[in-house]
Amino acid sequence: MSAVKYGSQYIITDVTTVKFIGQWIIAGIGGCIHVFETQSGKFITREKIFEGQRVHNIFAGRNQNIAVIGGKMVRIFKLEREGNFVLSTYASWAADDWIQYLHWLDCGNIAIVTAHNVVSLWNSRTGEKEREIFCEVNCILYCALLDGLSWSDLVVFTGTVFQQILIWAPASVEEDTVNSPVLHTLKGHDGVIFSVSYDPDSNYICSTSDDRSVRLWSVDLQLSDDCNRVTQWKEATITLLHTMYGHTARVWRNIIIDNVIISVGEDSCLCVWRTDGSLQKYWKTHQGANVWSVDCSKEKNLIVTGGGDGGISLWPLHTESAVPNFLTFSGNLFTQDFCSMKGQNGNFPRRIGLTSKDNVVAITDSGCLLYCTVVGRGQGNWKLMHQDEKLASYCLLEMSPCRQYVALASMDGHILIFKDCSSVHGKGLILNVEEKAVVGRIFSLHWLSSDNLLSCGPNGILEMWKLGHPQWLQKMNEFELPKSKERWISAAALRENFLVCGDRNGSIHLFKIVDNQTNSIQCPSQSFYKIHGRLGVSSLIWYGNCLYSTGRDGTVRRYLMLENEGRLECLNADKLPMEWPATTSLSAFGLLVLGFRAANFVIWSHVERRNVLTIPCGGGHRSWDWTLEGHTFRFIYVKDKMVHMYTCMMNEIIKPALQSGFHSKQISCIRQIPLLKDETGNSHNLLLSASEDTTVRLSVISNSNVLHTVTVLQSHISSVRALAVYQMRDSVLVFSGGGRAQLKVWKLVIQSAQGSVPQVKCQELSSHMLKDSSKKNKKPWLSVERTVDPETRYMDLCAVVLQCQDPDKTERVVLLAAGCSDGFLRIFGFDTFYNELRLVGKHSFHNRCILKVSLIQTESFRHVAVTMATDGIVALWDLSPCVEELLCSKHSDISCAASGSKNDNIRVVLDNLKPFSCVKVHQSGINSFDWLLLKGDKFLLATGGDDRALVLSLIQIKSPTCQENMQAEVLLQWRDDCAHASQITGLKLGDSVVVSTAVDQRITLWNWSSDTGGHTLSASVKARYCSTVADIQGLVTWNSRYNCIYYLS
Amino acid sequence: MRKTSKDKRDIYYRLAKEEGWRARSAFKLLHLDQQFGIFKGVTRAVDLCAAPGSWSQVLVKKLRSRPTSDLSEVKIVAVDLQAMAPLPGLIQIVGDITKEETAQALIKEFKDSAAQLVVCDGAPDVTGLHDIDEFIQAQLLLAAFNITTHVLAPAGTFVAKVFRGKDVSLLLSQLQLFFGCVNIAKPRSSRSTSIEAFVVCQNYKPLPDYKPTMHNPLLNLSYDDKWISEGANKFVSPFLASGDLQPFDSLRSCTTEQHSPVLDACTEERSRPLPKSSACPAPSLTVPT
């Protein structure tokens, strides 16, 4: 048999280090380094550095020398050529202790600080240790730093586990046997020190700690010529300048550069501090994961960060050139010209807008329409354009999509339209139309296109107007909103002859426009009730045949227009890190969502999955407007009765990520999707992953073994622990379950492929919670009964389709087995026609948390569930009663469909299920399993446990006829109680091989064999591989070249 | 000062609150006792890295509340960097376990008769990067073991927390040089998602020429994967799950129906580990009643 070749093909895990080196950015990911070109952001290459050991830091020396450290390992490289990234190794060795810092000396040798406060000198060519100096304080270090050009100059800064920073010099002792004294001890931190940095130019020391603070210390060196550097340091005075609080969790790293301090931490924040101790700016990044590493290049004006989500992002260091400037229009607003009308009180802007020429239009409380040029001559001068009593105290102002027209709407139903003619006549705004259009107050006014307006009057009456010849508004259609509490619309969009409106109650209505002359009032043809919560829909925008809506519930939703059927299909939702998303924009930077978070205006990028811009404007309850032309972003808002304007260059603020992040927390489950074909017949290798970060991600593995995220499914309210996948003819059904006993069903359809990344339509079909979400449970504190439900978690899921004699129902019902943390096995049926999930059976047998569940079909087509729990018992269940119940419940289908499927919880649930056999295989939890069905209803079950044992069991199931009870028997068993050094988390059983993974970082390949008569069963280790991932959670394999997937945490 | 701690309110968290333990980790020691009977005949014990003191609470309860025990014989010493709330009959030493002074203070306490049991539930500030955490935990364990060698009587027991990571087998084989029996156990109350486990070292028998010292306390770990793949890890200690008598596990969502756990109900009966062999007789499947 040929030797097995192992190698990591692709890894996405914590980015433990990032460095700017020459024209490259080098990132340490697992045991590899990834190289990117700084200018283009392009991925260049990937080099394997260590086997079974993470890269912890990279240090560049002179002459293109690069040293990489990880744990106790050091590898020295030379960067061969400047233009192409070619590395050649010339030394590699292991130190005898954990390396915290490495420093290149002038002579080309290397000084290393190890974890017990020891500095050693090494020959970088031979890897020989030349000297070793112990510090007098012997304790564990969490961080270290060396400064100095030669051994005699060397100053060591170490951050200890005892909350101190020690400064000492190895050259202060003559002999290696003497422990070196500590020169300075910096006390003040209230926790372990995680990083320390020193800037010789400014003489600052900066340290970060477990206590969430960043501390800046000033060093006063006595700069006299006659004494050496060690003496200088001995006599120096070090004072604490500032204690900077801003991070909300531990602070991992800091850099002092160009008079600012950059710090990153566990709270996923990147903070930039001034040296006076104030926070200059901060970004929240890496999807809430740790930011492990940071580096900064002053020349390139860039900061790079590496995160716990596996992402690498770029940030601007300084943004002076980008004019993030504020213009305030205040003084001239109160000139005598127009303040006489109703006194000073009424002369503040109520509504504002930006015209296409970046001029500002404002309507004041006293009904004055003002106009102001921003760019060029007359900047900041307000001119009075129009004055009208009707517009006083209540007036709507809406800019047309082309920003050439301004529409005003009054309390008594007047609509006024002005045109921006500043370039033609130098006059500003010209009144185009004035008409009393609506009887009563105009609640809202929306431009549907540049010549199409929709007004909303009292009683939910919507009128669509066409802007025709001058001084004329032609009423086109009339619509009526369904009755509701606040019956007016807050958003509207038109596409061909479909009008979509979002109302103040969070519902979205679709109207089909029929060309009728009878002027009858139309009602919606389709409605999504309260889809955006109770605070209303904030925007509706068409991008092609896709509709995006945002709402005050903090989500952006996507819909697909099905033209043939004349209806919208709700696809998916993204939960946003803002409570008030206001609108969306599809720009060169991908989809941007603009909105408000607390007192700030924020822009969220869909591509980066983070907020890219934050402007403190005071919050969402104000009039505001924005434009994005090219890279220039302008934002105006009213604050303190004044108009403010903010301008910036988007391309300087948004730096595209070098590598986009994956899950930000532990991945709990990965499932491979059976190869799906798109329209062109290409098949794609798709992976679904579920994580503690509450998301499910769909990713595609390209031919070069790189993972691209296709979509993120985001609607779980708690962690997602388990996935089950079932392939149907043209789509894939995905079941996801997790915390808070939430179970969701999704449908995936591949639509088209652009290059290697397919477009996948993801639709949420159903959502189910054990706790009945009907009204009586909404306020549990009101009920007298004590709630017993302990918020079960779904630990594992498995789905199979039921074969049915009835041809109409073939492949209609999917059987889903769910193992729950409260010890229950729950059996669900999912009807693919009604998209309805139904609990049909449950039973608690293990009385322990069920960890794994699987479904097996016997040769007589009976379904058997296998459950494994933390008690180490494997139990087998006969699911025939559940299957019968599911297949024979025709009536309930019909009645259910008729009554609107609201009676889920009234239905009979089989709670007398019981396993027919059980066997104790492990001492404690069974974390992983796989099985292989053999002939004659025998199956080989491989289990891997918390007790680090690997067990192979050959089990025979006897299922005589449908009526008789099933029986099972363990025919043979083989076990290795010390298969791994710690818990086995992943198993895959092949025809003659077993692959197992465990937390001890080993991936082991076993050969198993059973003789022809079936009398013996044995297995032996064939190969072991040591992975760099310390917490492997599971294993997925596929056959092309037998790839393994590690999970990151 | 960590950002979040997930699953905080599991059943053992609630039980600890109900029964007045300072931390849920008290159950881990109780479960280890169920498995190994570590308190049997013990009157003198040390709790290293004791704060907030839940293990000290267990020691006080177990050692001082025996009907047969003579309270004047019982001696329990707790060592930690921080002072903690006092407990009846508990002597506290505030100090760092790697320091000479601490060792001297501890030796003074046990100058007449050595301790029979040393426990250590100390853990470092876990960063989330497992390789660093495992390394520092191993260093902490070795420091704890080093101070233990000063005060532990022959045939004594040492219990400490380990992270079952890459190099754990190596650490255990080192401990086997000093103890007759070394086991790794994961109590039911320890979250199965954590890499934490406990090493229970029984029958202390230091080498005849071994002299406890604080000067170079830390054993040097070097690691060779080839050594492991040849099966050397197989000789290391068997795994034992402990705490079987408790009807809970830490992953399970708790329900109110099982709401009457009394600690004293844990009998001295122990569950036996499964026999360790490669080819084993097939166990019979039982039909549950």
Side-chain angles (χ1 to χ4, degrees), chain A residues 52 56 72 192 288 790 793 821 847-848 870 948 976 1002, chain B residues 3 125 131 166 221 223 234 237 249 251-254:
Chain A
H56 276 286
K72 296 169 184 173
V192 171
R793 287 185 301 279
S821 68
N847 252 327
R848 289 275 170 77
T870 54
R948 73 192 188 180
D976 184 344
R1002 305 301 194 289
Chain B
K3 197 167 73 173
D125 293 278
D131 50 349
K166 193 174 88 173
L221 290 168
Y223 171 69
K234 303 225 164 170
S237 38
D249 60 79
L251 268 185
R252 185 170 176 203
S253 329
C254 48

PDB file of all heavy atoms in Angstrom, chain A residues 52 56 72 192 288 790 793 821 847-848 870 948 976 1002, chain B residues 3 125 131 166 221 223 234 237 249 251-254:
ATOM      1  N   GLY A  52       2.277  21.223  13.036  1.00  0.00           N
ATOM      2  CA  GLY A  52       1.683  21.043  14.360  1.00  0.00           C
ATOM      3  C   GLY A  52       1.947  22.185  15.312  1.00  0.00           C
ATOM      4  O   GLY A  52       1.818  22.026  16.516  1.00  0.00           O
ATOM      5  N   HIS A  56       3.459  32.308  15.747  1.00  0.00           N
ATOM      6  CA  HIS A  56       3.042  33.321  16.709  1.00  0.00           C
ATOM      7  C   HIS A  56       3.545  34.712  16.386  1.00  0.00           C
ATOM      8  O   HIS A  56       2.921  35.696  16.779  1.00  0.00           O
ATOM      9  CB  HIS A  56       3.474  32.930  18.118  1.00  0.00           C
ATOM     10  CG  HIS A  56       2.502  31.993  18.762  1.00  0.00           C
ATOM     11  ND1 HIS A  56       1.286  32.408  19.220  1.00  0.00           N
ATOM     12  CD2 HIS A  56       2.539  30.666  18.957  1.00  0.00           C
ATOM     13  CE1 HIS A  56       0.626  31.382  19.695  1.00  0.00           C
ATOM     14  NE2 HIS A  56       1.359  30.305  19.545  1.00  0.00           N
ATOM     15  N   LYS A  72       8.029  26.913  20.758  1.00  0.00           N
ATOM     16  CA  LYS A  72       9.461  26.859  21.028  1.00  0.00           C
ATOM     17  C   LYS A  72      10.283  26.867  19.740  1.00  0.00           C
ATOM     18  O   LYS A  72      11.503  26.725  19.784  1.00  0.00           O
ATOM     19  CB  LYS A  72       9.760  25.579  21.806  1.00  0.00           C
ATOM     20  CG  LYS A  72       9.093  25.571  23.158  1.00  0.00           C
ATOM     21  CD  LYS A  72       9.163  24.213  23.815  1.00  0.00           C
ATOM     22  CE  LYS A  72       8.390  24.255  25.114  1.00  0.00           C
ATOM     23  NZ  LYS A  72       8.283  22.941  25.734  1.00  0.00           N
ATOM     24  N   VAL A 192      -2.898  40.617  34.253  1.00  0.00           N
ATOM     25  CA  VAL A 192      -1.775  40.138  33.455  1.00  0.00           C
ATOM     26  C   VAL A 192      -1.464  41.134  32.339  1.00  0.00           C
ATOM     27  O   VAL A 192      -2.372  41.739  31.772  1.00  0.00           O
ATOM     28  CB  VAL A 192      -2.165  38.776  32.853  1.00  0.00           C
ATOM     29  CG1 VAL A 192      -1.166  38.298  31.837  1.00  0.00           C
ATOM     30  CG2 VAL A 192      -2.349  37.754  33.942  1.00  0.00           C
ATOM     31  N   GLY A 288     -17.034  40.871  15.780  1.00  0.00           N
ATOM     32  CA  GLY A 288     -17.184  40.595  17.210  1.00  0.00           C
ATOM     33  C   GLY A 288     -16.177  39.602  17.755  1.00  0.00           C
ATOM     34  O   GLY A 288     -16.217  39.280  18.933  1.00  0.00           O
ATOM     35  N   PRO A 790     -36.556  24.544  30.447  1.00  0.00           N
ATOM     36  CA  PRO A 790     -35.214  25.031  30.723  1.00  0.00           C
ATOM     37  C   PRO A 790     -34.485  25.534  29.487  1.00  0.00           C
ATOM     38  O   PRO A 790     -33.270  25.599  29.499  1.00  0.00           O
ATOM     39  CB  PRO A 790     -34.544  23.785  31.275  1.00  0.00           C
ATOM     40  CG  PRO A 790     -35.204  22.672  30.551  1.00  0.00           C
ATOM     41  CD  PRO A 790     -36.571  23.109  30.180  1.00  0.00           C
ATOM     42  N   ARG A 793     -31.450  22.989  24.211  1.00  0.00           N
ATOM     43  CA  ARG A 793     -30.649  23.199  23.002  1.00  0.00           C
ATOM     44  C   ARG A 793     -30.761  21.963  22.125  1.00  0.00           C
ATOM     45  O   ARG A 793     -30.777  20.848  22.628  1.00  0.00           O
ATOM     46  CB  ARG A 793     -29.166  23.362  23.357  1.00  0.00           C
ATOM     47  CG  ARG A 793     -28.789  24.651  23.985  1.00  0.00           C
ATOM     48  CD  ARG A 793     -27.277  24.731  24.163  1.00  0.00           C
ATOM     49  NE  ARG A 793     -26.760  23.656  24.994  1.00  0.00           N
ATOM     50  CZ  ARG A 793     -26.783  23.665  26.310  1.00  0.00           C
ATOM     51  NH1 ARG A 793     -27.323  24.678  26.931  1.00  0.00           N
ATOM     52  NH2 ARG A 793     -26.291  22.663  27.015  1.00  0.00           N
ATOM     53  N   SER A 821     -30.730  18.751  24.483  1.00  0.00           N
ATOM     54  CA  SER A 821     -29.900  18.818  25.674  1.00  0.00           C
ATOM     55  C   SER A 821     -30.682  18.434  26.923  1.00  0.00           C
ATOM     56  O   SER A 821     -30.096  18.145  27.955  1.00  0.00           O
ATOM     57  CB  SER A 821     -29.333  20.223  25.836  1.00  0.00           C
ATOM     58  OG  SER A 821     -30.367  21.117  26.125  1.00  0.00           O
ATOM     59  N   ASN A 847     -31.779  10.470  29.990  1.00  0.00           N
ATOM     60  CA  ASN A 847     -31.760  11.351  31.145  1.00  0.00           C
ATOM     61  C   ASN A 847     -30.498  12.173  31.199  1.00  0.00           C
ATOM     62  O   ASN A 847     -30.088  12.645  32.244  1.00  0.00           O
ATOM     63  CB  ASN A 847     -31.902  10.553  32.439  1.00  0.00           C
ATOM     64  CG  ASN A 847     -33.268  10.784  33.021  1.00  0.00           C
ATOM     65  OD1 ASN A 847     -33.806  11.879  32.870  1.00  0.00           O
ATOM     66  ND2 ASN A 847     -33.823   9.787  33.643  1.00  0.00           N
ATOM     67  N   ARG A 848     -29.858  12.281  30.094  1.00  0.00           N
ATOM     68  CA  ARG A 848     -28.613  13.024  29.966  1.00  0.00           C
ATOM     69  C   ARG A 848     -28.702  13.787  28.657  1.00  0.00           C
ATOM     70  O   ARG A 848     -29.519  13.468  27.809  1.00  0.00           O
ATOM     71  CB  ARG A 848     -27.409  12.066  29.873  1.00  0.00           C
ATOM     72  CG  ARG A 848     -27.091  11.359  31.152  1.00  0.00           C
ATOM     73  CD  ARG A 848     -26.209  12.243  32.019  1.00  0.00           C
ATOM     74  NE  ARG A 848     -26.060  11.707  33.358  1.00  0.00           N
ATOM     75  CZ  ARG A 848     -25.273  10.689  33.663  1.00  0.00           C
ATOM     76  NH1 ARG A 848     -24.586  10.101  32.725  1.00  0.00           N
ATOM     77  NH2 ARG A 848     -25.184  10.264  34.900  1.00  0.00           N
ATOM     78  N   THR A 870     -24.270  11.801  26.819  1.00  0.00           N
ATOM     79  CA  THR A 870     -23.092  11.995  27.674  1.00  0.00           C
ATOM     80  C   THR A 870     -22.885  10.840  28.643  1.00  0.00           C
ATOM     81  O   THR A 870     -21.886  10.811  29.352  1.00  0.00           O
ATOM     82  CB  THR A 870     -23.216  13.299  28.486  1.00  0.00           C
ATOM     83  OG1 THR A 870     -24.444  13.284  29.178  1.00  0.00           O
ATOM     84  CG2 THR A 870     -23.136  14.511  27.614  1.00  0.00           C
ATOM     85  N   ARG A 948     -11.544   9.328  25.334  1.00  0.00           N
ATOM     86  CA  ARG A 948     -10.507   9.139  24.324  1.00  0.00           C
ATOM     87  C   ARG A 948     -10.438   7.729  23.752  1.00  0.00           C
ATOM     88  O   ARG A 948      -9.436   7.326  23.171  1.00  0.00           O
ATOM     89  CB  ARG A 948      -9.136   9.578  24.861  1.00  0.00           C
ATOM     90  CG  ARG A 948      -8.542   8.627  25.883  1.00  0.00           C
ATOM     91  CD  ARG A 948      -7.372   9.242  26.565  1.00  0.00           C
ATOM     92  NE  ARG A 948      -6.738   8.215  27.371  1.00  0.00           N
ATOM     93  CZ  ARG A 948      -5.685   8.395  28.111  1.00  0.00           C
ATOM     94  NH1 ARG A 948      -5.122   9.553  28.166  1.00  0.00           N
ATOM     95  NH2 ARG A 948      -5.187   7.411  28.799  1.00  0.00           N
ATOM     96  N   ASP A 976     -10.050   0.653  21.370  1.00  0.00           N
ATOM     97  CA  ASP A 976      -8.740   1.117  21.813  1.00  0.00           C
ATOM     98  C   ASP A 976      -9.011   2.237  22.808  1.00  0.00           C
ATOM     99  O   ASP A 976      -9.524   3.288  22.424  1.00  0.00           O
ATOM    100  CB  ASP A 976      -7.920   1.628  20.624  1.00  0.00           C
ATOM    101  CG  ASP A 976      -6.510   2.020  21.049  1.00  0.00           C
ATOM    102  OD1 ASP A 976      -6.287   2.179  22.264  1.00  0.00           O
ATOM    103  OD2 ASP A 976      -5.651   2.161  20.167  1.00  0.00           O
ATOM    104  N   ARG A1002      -4.157  15.613  16.938  1.00  0.00           N
ATOM    105  CA  ARG A1002      -3.745  14.551  16.023  1.00  0.00           C
ATOM    106  C   ARG A1002      -4.904  14.171  15.113  1.00  0.00           C
ATOM    107  O   ARG A1002      -6.063  14.123  15.544  1.00  0.00           O
ATOM    108  CB  ARG A1002      -3.307  13.296  16.778  1.00  0.00           C
ATOM    109  CG  ARG A1002      -2.227  13.500  17.812  1.00  0.00           C
ATOM    110  CD  ARG A1002      -0.972  14.078  17.188  1.00  0.00           C
ATOM    111  NE  ARG A1002       0.168  13.975  18.086  1.00  0.00           N
ATOM    112  CZ  ARG A1002       0.314  14.695  19.188  1.00  0.00           C
ATOM    113  NH1 ARG A1002      -0.600  15.581  19.532  1.00  0.00           N
ATOM    114  NH2 ARG A1002       1.375  14.547  19.944  1.00  0.00           N
TER     115      ARG A1002
ATOM    116  N   LYS B   3     -14.721  38.995  27.946  1.00  0.00           N
ATOM    117  CA  LYS B   3     -15.863  39.653  27.334  1.00  0.00           C
ATOM    118  C   LYS B   3     -17.162  38.956  27.732  1.00  0.00           C
ATOM    119  O   LYS B   3     -18.074  39.567  28.231  1.00  0.00           O
ATOM    120  CB  LYS B   3     -15.696  39.669  25.818  1.00  0.00           C
ATOM    121  CG  LYS B   3     -16.610  40.673  25.161  1.00  0.00           C
ATOM    122  CD  LYS B   3     -16.233  40.909  23.730  1.00  0.00           C
ATOM    123  CE  LYS B   3     -16.593  39.739  22.870  1.00  0.00           C
ATOM    124  NZ  LYS B   3     -16.377  40.031  21.464  1.00  0.00           N
ATOM    125  N   ASP B 125      -4.812  32.948  33.169  1.00  0.00           N
ATOM    126  CA  ASP B 125      -5.754  33.790  32.429  1.00  0.00           C
ATOM    127  C   ASP B 125      -5.836  33.223  31.024  1.00  0.00           C
ATOM    128  O   ASP B 125      -4.910  33.390  30.234  1.00  0.00           O
ATOM    129  CB  ASP B 125      -5.240  35.223  32.384  1.00  0.00           C
ATOM    130  CG  ASP B 125      -5.244  35.858  33.747  1.00  0.00           C
ATOM    131  OD1 ASP B 125      -6.302  36.323  34.156  1.00  0.00           O
ATOM    132  OD2 ASP B 125      -4.191  35.848  34.405  1.00  0.00           O
ATOM    133  N   ASP B 131      -2.822  26.837  22.407  1.00  0.00           N
ATOM    134  CA  ASP B 131      -1.459  26.360  22.608  1.00  0.00           C
ATOM    135  C   ASP B 131      -0.774  27.128  23.736  1.00  0.00           C
ATOM    136  O   ASP B 131      -0.094  26.546  24.575  1.00  0.00           O
ATOM    137  CB  ASP B 131      -0.651  26.393  21.302  1.00  0.00           C
ATOM    138  CG  ASP B 131      -0.742  27.718  20.582  1.00  0.00           C
ATOM    139  OD1 ASP B 131      -1.582  28.546  20.959  1.00  0.00           O
ATOM    140  OD2 ASP B 131       0.029  27.934  19.632  1.00  0.00           O
ATOM    141  N   LYS B 166      -2.117  19.114  23.171  1.00  0.00           N
ATOM    142  CA  LYS B 166      -1.158  18.379  22.344  1.00  0.00           C
ATOM    143  C   LYS B 166      -0.133  17.609  23.170  1.00  0.00           C
ATOM    144  O   LYS B 166       0.179  16.466  22.872  1.00  0.00           O
ATOM    145  CB  LYS B 166      -0.445  19.400  21.447  1.00  0.00           C
ATOM    146  CG  LYS B 166       0.336  18.797  20.334  1.00  0.00           C
ATOM    147  CD  LYS B 166       0.881  19.887  19.427  1.00  0.00           C
ATOM    148  CE  LYS B 166       2.214  20.376  19.909  1.00  0.00           C
ATOM    149  NZ  LYS B 166       2.854  21.315  18.982  1.00  0.00           N
ATOM    150  N   LEU B 221       9.996  20.599  29.299  1.00  0.00           N
ATOM    151  CA  LEU B 221       9.223  19.757  28.409  1.00  0.00           C
ATOM    152  C   LEU B 221       9.829  19.816  27.025  1.00  0.00           C
ATOM    153  O   LEU B 221      10.022  20.887  26.483  1.00  0.00           O
ATOM    154  CB  LEU B 221       7.791  20.286  28.309  1.00  0.00           C
ATOM    155  CG  LEU B 221       6.907  20.145  29.534  1.00  0.00           C
ATOM    156  CD1 LEU B 221       5.672  20.978  29.333  1.00  0.00           C
ATOM    157  CD2 LEU B 221       6.540  18.710  29.733  1.00  0.00           C
ATOM    158  N   TYR B 223       9.408  17.824  23.188  1.00  0.00           N
ATOM    159  CA  TYR B 223       8.293  17.128  22.581  1.00  0.00           C
ATOM    160  C   TYR B 223       8.718  16.539  21.245  1.00  0.00           C
ATOM    161  O   TYR B 223       9.338  17.194  20.422  1.00  0.00           O
ATOM    162  CB  TYR B 223       7.160  18.127  22.397  1.00  0.00           C
ATOM    163  CG  TYR B 223       6.047  17.580  21.587  1.00  0.00           C
ATOM    164  CD1 TYR B 223       5.255  16.578  22.116  1.00  0.00           C
ATOM    165  CD2 TYR B 223       5.800  18.044  20.310  1.00  0.00           C
ATOM    166  CE1 TYR B 223       4.238  16.053  21.373  1.00  0.00           C
ATOM    167  CE2 TYR B 223       4.786  17.532  19.570  1.00  0.00           C
ATOM    168  CZ  TYR B 223       4.001  16.526  20.101  1.00  0.00           C
ATOM    169  OH  TYR B 223       2.996  16.017  19.367  1.00  0.00           O
ATOM    170  N   LYS B 234       0.428   5.168  24.904  1.00  0.00           N
ATOM    171  CA  LYS B 234      -0.486   4.148  25.391  1.00  0.00           C
ATOM    172  C   LYS B 234      -0.164   3.729  26.815  1.00  0.00           C
ATOM    173  O   LYS B 234      -0.999   3.176  27.492  1.00  0.00           O
ATOM    174  CB  LYS B 234      -0.411   2.929  24.483  1.00  0.00           C
ATOM    175  CG  LYS B 234      -0.721   3.313  23.070  1.00  0.00           C
ATOM    176  CD  LYS B 234      -1.643   2.372  22.425  1.00  0.00           C
ATOM    177  CE  LYS B 234      -2.197   3.023  21.190  1.00  0.00           C
ATOM    178  NZ  LYS B 234      -2.923   2.142  20.359  1.00  0.00           N
ATOM    179  N   SER B 237      -1.574   6.963  31.675  1.00  0.00           N
ATOM    180  CA  SER B 237      -2.712   6.648  32.511  1.00  0.00           C
ATOM    181  C   SER B 237      -4.049   6.484  31.807  1.00  0.00           C
ATOM    182  O   SER B 237      -4.338   7.183  30.844  1.00  0.00           O
ATOM    183  CB  SER B 237      -2.834   7.798  33.471  1.00  0.00           C
ATOM    184  OG  SER B 237      -2.528   8.973  32.751  1.00  0.00           O
ATOM    185  N   ASP B 249     -25.443  16.051  33.954  1.00  0.00           N
ATOM    186  CA  ASP B 249     -24.199  16.385  33.302  1.00  0.00           C
ATOM    187  C   ASP B 249     -24.261  17.857  32.964  1.00  0.00           C
ATOM    188  O   ASP B 249     -25.334  18.450  32.866  1.00  0.00           O
ATOM    189  CB  ASP B 249     -23.963  15.507  32.074  1.00  0.00           C
ATOM    190  CG  ASP B 249     -25.035  15.645  31.061  1.00  0.00           C
ATOM    191  OD1 ASP B 249     -25.007  16.630  30.328  1.00  0.00           O
ATOM    192  OD2 ASP B 249     -25.926  14.764  31.004  1.00  0.00           O
ATOM    193  N   LEU B 251     -23.736  19.595  30.415  1.00  0.00           N
ATOM    194  CA  LEU B 251     -24.295  20.075  29.149  1.00  0.00           C
ATOM    195  C   LEU B 251     -25.809  20.090  29.199  1.00  0.00           C
ATOM    196  O   LEU B 251     -26.454  20.769  28.440  1.00  0.00           O
ATOM    197  CB  LEU B 251     -23.873  19.144  28.015  1.00  0.00           C
ATOM    198  CG  LEU B 251     -22.618  19.501  27.268  1.00  0.00           C
ATOM    199  CD1 LEU B 251     -22.458  18.546  26.130  1.00  0.00           C
ATOM    200  CD2 LEU B 251     -22.681  20.913  26.757  1.00  0.00           C
ATOM    201  N   ARG B 252     -26.352  19.264  30.084  1.00  0.00           N
ATOM    202  CA  ARG B 252     -27.784  19.078  30.036  1.00  0.00           C
ATOM    203  C   ARG B 252     -28.516  20.296  30.562  1.00  0.00           C
ATOM    204  O   ARG B 252     -28.145  20.859  31.583  1.00  0.00           O
ATOM    205  CB  ARG B 252     -28.146  17.855  30.868  1.00  0.00           C
ATOM    206  CG  ARG B 252     -29.601  17.565  30.734  1.00  0.00           C
ATOM    207  CD  ARG B 252     -30.004  16.255  31.312  1.00  0.00           C
ATOM    208  NE  ARG B 252     -31.440  16.198  31.178  1.00  0.00           N
ATOM    209  CZ  ARG B 252     -32.215  15.452  31.921  1.00  0.00           C
ATOM    210  NH1 ARG B 252     -31.683  14.675  32.826  1.00  0.00           N
ATOM    211  NH2 ARG B 252     -33.508  15.468  31.742  1.00  0.00           N
ATOM    212  N   SER B 253     -29.564  20.662  29.890  1.00  0.00           N
ATOM    213  CA  SER B 253     -30.403  21.729  30.400  1.00  0.00           C
ATOM    214  C   SER B 253     -31.114  21.166  31.619  1.00  0.00           C
ATOM    215  O   SER B 253     -31.597  20.047  31.608  1.00  0.00           O
ATOM    216  CB  SER B 253     -31.450  22.129  29.379  1.00  0.00           C
ATOM    217  OG  SER B 253     -30.973  21.940  28.105  1.00  0.00           O
ATOM    218  N   CYS B 254     -31.179  21.936  32.672  1.00  0.00           N
ATOM    219  CA  CYS B 254     -31.736  21.371  33.882  1.00  0.00           C
ATOM    220  C   CYS B 254     -33.245  21.494  33.881  1.00  0.00           C
ATOM    221  O   CYS B 254     -33.835  22.388  33.302  1.00  0.00           O
ATOM    222  CB  CYS B 254     -31.153  22.069  35.100  1.00  0.00           C
ATOM    223  SG  CYS B 254     -31.186  23.834  34.959  1.00  0.00           S
TER     224      CYS B 254
END
